[in-house]
Amino acid sequence: MYTLGLDYGTNSVRALVVRCTDGAEISSCVVPYPSGKEGVLLDPRDHHLARQHPADYLFGLEKSVRGALTAAKKTRGFSADKVIGLGVDTTGSSPIPVDARNVPLALSPKWKKNLHAQCWLWKDHTSHREAARITALAAEHRPQFIAKCGNTYSSEWFWSKIWHCRQVAPKVFAAAHSWVELCDWIPAVLAGITDPLQVKRGVCAAGHKALYSADWGGLPDKEFLALLDPALADLRDRLYAKAYDATEPAGSLGAEWAQKLGLPAGIPIAIGEFDVHYGAIGCGVAEGTLVKVIGTSTCDCGVVSASKTVPDIPGICGIVPGAILPGFYGLEAGQSAVGDIFKWWVEVVCEGDAARHARLTREVAQQKPGASGLLALDWQNGNRTILVDPLLTGLVLGCTLHTTQAEIYRALIEATAFGARAIIERFKEYGVPINRVVCAGGIAEKNPLLMQIYADVTGCTMLVSGSSQACALGSAVSAAVLARAHPDFPTAQRKMTSLKKVAYKPRPAAQKTYDRLYGLYRQLHDSFGGLNKSADLSHVMKELLALKN
């Protein structure tokens, strides 16, 4: 028997066919989104804006699944009627304004070209003012709301984006009957659900991005939402009352999409989760394991048994029961840009291509830690963890007339490694066990230089997921449990996930140098990030942005 994992990334959607007995990946098909710049709708007047056209999701859904099934037929014994379930993971928070029939506004001719009617992609930071206001009001009136998400609400998240839409595009807001996260919307489409109130929402998105908790009866109360805007209080009734973990299906595959995809009708659809949360399952996450999925950004996930008490941890993106694995708190942190920083440097600033990437990587490999005299901050797209501030920007310190492209490239790699270390240290500081680090994503798999630098900087051995498609694999694992191919998640992970044999271990000499560099990084980090009150430079980057605007 087989399950299908659908992974909606930033630039493309991937369908993966997986054998349930051993996790063998039979076939896959990747379909780039056709709209915008590499699938992202941008506005040259506002670099904080990032949207996606929902029609791209449906186009990619049909084409990727059909492609994966066609390729799978080359495997002896495979047939589509042996697919017993499917799971979906997506970026997030990526909320979509929908009408009363659960149809995205952007699919209507009236709204098709309106950027505010599109899906508000995870990397959209236009709502930074709203996020700051939510943080301030929650701190004053409902401190418990933000205590579980690091005491700071983010511009990447659900309520700040919807409130910003209300402020800048009131006609779009008024036309939207409801808002649905992408990770909840795709399963609902597959199940044929046409009422937003009937969409089965996952606790992953609800808990990490929408301030949902059973402790206070679900979503934020209407009295608090009215402090933001009475229209948000009214919207609450058109959202949802309950969110579910992965023990519950999002629905079953409806006849319409079963026919479109060539799959059996009625098979279970796993509850939607964010890409890296299912990616953590695909990497074999367990208590004591930190999973890092390294891509355009990085997301770090860990779990702690729900039988234990997890303290509130400043600066992280949430502590949510059942958000990753049922029976465990899901903990999330991350960096807003990693691969995007390298892409910016090589392709935008250096005007290079894949060959330039390769050449600079070879040159970086010849350099020793600290030899360039450079130090950088990894904030080209703001800071997600531990500062939670989208209005921080990048910095490279120590340039001379002799500084080379490759030296700056290495400093940027090291900066992302220092950011990763800050996250690991924050988890450990609050008693979250991290005994091993498992990495996934194209960078982890294809860039041994970066992986070694990460090991040297963090002092942790870096392991690599056995799957190059860990997020889609995790979705398929969840579907396999729902379809009863395995009795529970630990069994399914044991049977269906693996690690590569490679392990990047810290090198003592390099680690010693990086310990000194990290101390300097933290001085810059804390001063420009506003943590060091005696040398607070947090206004500098914000004043530069104000001048730019």
Side-chain angles (χ1 to χ4, degrees):
M1 296 301 171
Y2 303 84
T3 51
L4 188 78
L6 281 164
D7 172 33
Y8 280 85
T10 302
N11 309 114
S12 62
V13 57
R14 177 191 308 273
L16 178 70
V17 178
V18 180
R19 189 165 60 207
C20 296
T21 52
D22 57 3
E25 297 173 7
I26 302 303
S27 67
S28 67
C29 180
V30 179
V31 177
Y33 304 132
S35 301
K37 181 177 175 59
E38 297 181 338
V40 183
L41 303 173
L42 303 171
D43 183 346
R45 299 165 298 178
D46 186 352
H47 68 270
H48 288 303
L49 188 145
R51 311 278 159 81
Q52 282 186 324
H53 190 34
D56 289 3
Y57 301 140
L58 302 179
F59 167 82
L61 170 61
E62 187 169 356
K63 192 168 182 180
S64 65
V65 172
R66 283 283 186 183
L69 292 177
T70 298
K73 289 174 182 175
K74 298 175 184 177
T75 298
R76 184 178 179 182
F78 174 84
S79 62
D81 61 1
K82 292 185 179 180
V83 176
I84 60 173
L86 60 100
V88 178
D89 68 79
T90 76
T91 64
S93 179
S94 297
I96 304 171
V98 300
D99 65 18
R101 297 173 296 115
N102 198 36
V103 177
L105 296 186
L107 298 188
S108 161
K110 179 178 180 179
W111 303 109
K112 182 177 180 181
K113 295 184 179 180
N114 189 313
L115 284 172
H116 304 302
Q118 313 297 323
C119 176
W120 290 53
L121 188 61
W122 68 270
K123 66 194 292 185
D124 187 290
H125 287 293
T126 54
S127 59
H128 54 85
R129 293 180 184 86
E130 289 80 5
R133 187 66 179 144
I134 291 171
T135 297
L137 286 171
E140 182 180 357
H141 299 280
R142 302 288 191 279
Q144 69 273 24
F145 285 1
I146 55 172
K148 297 300 181 187
C149 61
N151 287 320
T152 307
Y153 199 75
S154 170
S155 59
E156 293 184 3
W157 297 351
F158 187 79
W159 289 111
S160 54
K161 289 176 173 175
I162 295 174
W163 191 13
H164 187 64
C165 181
R166 160 75 171 157
Q167 305 270 38
V168 301
K171 291 182 179 179
V172 172
F173 182 89
H177 178 76
S178 188
W179 289 72
V180 184
E181 282 281 0
L182 175 57
C183 65
D184 296 323
W185 185 70
I186 295 295
V189 167
L190 290 168
I193 296 172
T194 57
D195 178 355
L197 282 174
Q198 299 303 313
V199 174
K200 215 161 185 183
R201 316 288 183 125
V203 74
C204 172
H208 282 288
K209 313 301 181 187
L211 298 177
Y212 173 97
S213 175
D215 291 346
W216 48 80
L219 291 169
D221 59 88
K222 296 178 75 170
E223 181 182 0
F224 173 75
L225 292 174
L227 294 175
L228 311 181
D229 191 313
L232 295 181
D234 292 341
L235 174 65
R236 187 188 190 275
D237 293 333
R238 307 193 305 275
L239 293 172
Y240 53 94
K242 185 171 176 58
Y244 300 87
D245 67 19
T247 59
E248 288 279 337
S252 56
L253 185 61
E256 179 186 355
W257 276 95
Q259 184 176 9
K260 286 182 180 180
L261 301 179
L263 289 170
I267 61 175
I269 304 166
I271 205 77
E273 289 193 10
F274 291 144
D275 42 14
V276 179
H277 293 72
Y278 268 148
I281 290 177
C283 290
V285 72
E287 191 165 1
T289 296
L290 180 71
V291 171
K292 293 180 66 65
V293 177
I294 308 173
T296 54
S297 66
T298 288
C299 190
D300 303 324
C301 286
V303 297
V304 175
S305 172
S307 65
K308 298 181 179 179
T309 300
V310 181
D312 299 333
I313 305 175
I316 74 157
C317 304
I319 304 168
V320 181
I324 301 172
L325 280 174
F328 291 83
Y329 289 100
L331 286 74
E332 178 193 343
Q335 294 163 267
S336 296
V338 175
D340 269 352
I341 295 178
F342 311 146
K343 185 180 179 69
W344 160 77
W345 177 248
V346 176
E347 299 181 16
V348 177
V349 180
C350 299
E351 299 183 336
D353 52 15
R356 179 70 62 88
H357 271 283
R359 178 174 68 78
L360 289 179
T361 299
R362 289 194 298 271
E363 292 179 22
V364 167
Q366 301 304 312
Q367 301 167 6
K368 292 183 178 180
S372 69
L374 298 177
L375 185 62
L377 292 174
D378 51 317
W379 299 342
Q380 276 77 358
N381 198 28
N383 179 282
R384 181 184 295 160
T385 307
I386 55 179
L387 300 171
V388 199
D389 190 341
L391 295 183
L392 295 174
T393 52
L395 180 149
V396 180
L397 180 69
C399 296
T400 71
L401 296 176
H402 304 286
T403 299
T404 67
Q405 292 179 349
E407 287 174 332
I408 292 179
Y409 191 30
R410 183 180 183 107
L412 294 171
I413 294 173
E414 291 170 342
T416 66
F418 294 142
R421 176 168 169 174
I423 291 169
I424 290 171
E425 290 188 350
R426 177 57 57 90
F427 275 138
K428 288 183 174 180
E429 180 185 353
Y430 283 82
V432 177
I434 298 178
N435 304 320
R436 64 174 192 163
V437 179
V438 177
C439 301
I443 291 176
E445 190 168 293
K446 299 173 184 177
N447 196 327
L449 171 69
L450 177 139
M451 293 297 290
Q452 186 59 59
I453 290 174
Y454 272 46
D456 294 337
V457 167
T458 64
C460 299
T461 296
M462 296 283 150
L463 306 174
V464 181
S465 168
S467 172
S468 60
Q469 305 169 105
C471 299
L473 175 60
S475 299
V477 169
S478 186
V481 175
L482 270 181
R484 306 187 184 225
H486 297 290
D488 50 42
F489 277 91
T491 304
Q493 285 182 288
R494 198 162 51 247
K495 296 282 189 179
M496 298 178 69
T497 70
S498 64
L499 297 175
K500 286 183 168 54
K501 293 183 179 179
V502 64
Y504 299 92
K505 299 181 179 181
R507 299 170 300 182
Q511 195 176 352
K512 185 176 180 181
T513 301
Y514 279 133
D515 282 345
R516 292 181 62 188
L517 281 171
Y518 181 70
L520 297 173
Y521 170 88
R522 280 309 299 252
Q523 289 183 48
L524 289 181
H525 175 282
D526 293 357
S527 296
F528 281 99
L531 298 182
N532 184 352
K533 299 307 178 185
S534 63
D536 188 347
L537 299 173
S538 59
H539 65 94
V540 175
M541 293 172 176
K542 293 175 173 61
E543 287 188 26
L544 288 172
L545 286 174
L547 282 169
K548 175 181 177 179
N549 290 333

